[in-house]
Amino acid sequence: MSTDAIWRLPVTVCRITGFLGERTAGLLLERAIASTGDRLKPSLVRDRELAPDLRRSRSCSDFQAPELLAAIDDVREAVEHVLGVDCRRAEPSYGLNVHNDGDFYGPHQDTSVAYSPRRLLTFVYYLHRTPRPFGGGELRVFDAALPLHTETTGEWEERTWRDWEPEHDSVVFFLPTAWHEVRPVVCPGKQHEDSRFAVNGWLCAPDPTHRGGDECR
């Protein structure tokens, strides 16, 4: 067997389409489109720094989507079973992300030992006008890569991947340790209402310090 052999393991993604239904998804889209002006800030990397070579989009941290959280709770047990994670006492943390022409988010993980270790589950819920007024913006999830003759995992650049379309009223769930990215968006009109809207967030282990606030972001 070659010493260069790589074992590639697909990362499991749970995807549900038509998640909230036409009426509720429409109301949430209107709410997202109304998030403009000072509510939208340049998106940060690791929630603390601007890094335009890695991430370009705008974010609204105080976006409210209780309908989405209720629906996620309804499917939580099924998602837990598929992904092998326990989120029964988890706390939600989420915000709105807006991608327009040229926006993207390069390969990254949502959690690590040093960064946001309380995150147990990532979710991304997509909203956009129909027909879709932009191209690109796929969620690319990289396969795990394990060299057969070492005990370490490969770098994300060595991996294969699968792309997931940002379909209106669809949601995806995956583990925060998965390497993933948002492919560049092409939005010829460049209008805010034509953007790729996504409510993305996490279910997080309870904060043992009980300090409250949005600690897992």
Side-chain angles (χ1 to χ4, degrees):
M1 182 181 294
S2 169
T3 57
D4 296 324
I6 301 290
W7 186 303
R8 301 187 185 277
L9 304 174
V11 170
T12 301
V13 175
C14 296
R15 180 172 183 260
I16 305 173
T17 58
F19 189 52
L20 298 183
E22 183 177 353
R23 180 179 179 278
T24 302
L27 292 173
L28 203 55
L29 175 60
E30 291 178 6
R31 199 178 306 157
I33 292 174
S35 297
T36 57
D38 292 340
R39 294 189 65 194
L40 288 176
K41 307 291 185 183
S43 301
L44 304 178
V45 172
R46 296 189 180 275
D47 303 312
R48 62 175 179 265
E49 60 183 320
L50 287 172
D53 291 339
L54 176 60
R55 185 181 191 185
R56 198 179 92 178
S57 62
R58 293 174 296 160
S59 300
C60 176
S61 60
D62 63 351
F63 186 75
Q64 299 299 308
E67 311 96 324
L68 176 61
L69 293 185
I72 288 174
D73 193 56
D74 287 341
V75 300
R76 177 183 53 78
E77 289 188 10
V79 173
E80 288 175 334
H81 177 73
V82 173
L83 296 181
V85 63
D86 184 353
C87 301
R88 282 174 294 179
R89 291 175 292 278
E91 302 168 350
S93 171
Y94 67 95
L96 176 70
N97 279 281
V98 183
H99 288 77
N100 205 275
D101 191 56
D103 290 345
F104 67 99
Y105 195 170
H108 64 282
Q109 294 171 295
D110 286 349
T111 188
S112 66
V113 173
Y115 171 66
S116 296
R118 292 175 49 220
R119 292 177 178 174
L120 303 173
L121 179 69
T122 293
F123 62 86
V124 188
Y125 174 73
Y126 298 105
L127 294 161
H128 61 73
R129 300 172 71 185
T130 53
R132 190 185 306 174
F134 62 85
E138 299 89 353
L139 170 70
R140 175 167 291 181
V141 180
F142 293 90
D143 298 333
L146 179 65
L148 290 183
H149 297 278
T150 72
E151 296 180 355
T152 60
T153 56
E155 296 297 327
W156 68 262
E157 291 94 337
E158 301 172 355
R159 300 178 183 177
T160 50
W161 61 80
R162 179 171 180 179
D163 287 346
W164 301 84
E165 292 288 333
E167 181 181 340
H168 176 69
D169 194 25
S170 69
V171 64
V172 293
F173 301 89
F174 54 92
L175 296 183
T177 51
W179 281 93
H180 59 285
E181 69 172 304
V182 176
R183 300 295 295 160
V185 170
V186 179
C187 186
K190 301 183 180 181
Q191 299 300 308
H192 169 72
E193 58 269 24
D194 290 339
S195 298
R196 171 195 186 273
F197 297 96
V199 182
N200 74 285
W202 308 272
L203 297 184
C204 307
D207 181 3
T209 66
H210 301 289
R211 289 176 297 178
D214 205 1
E215 296 296 330
C216 81
R217 293 177 68 86

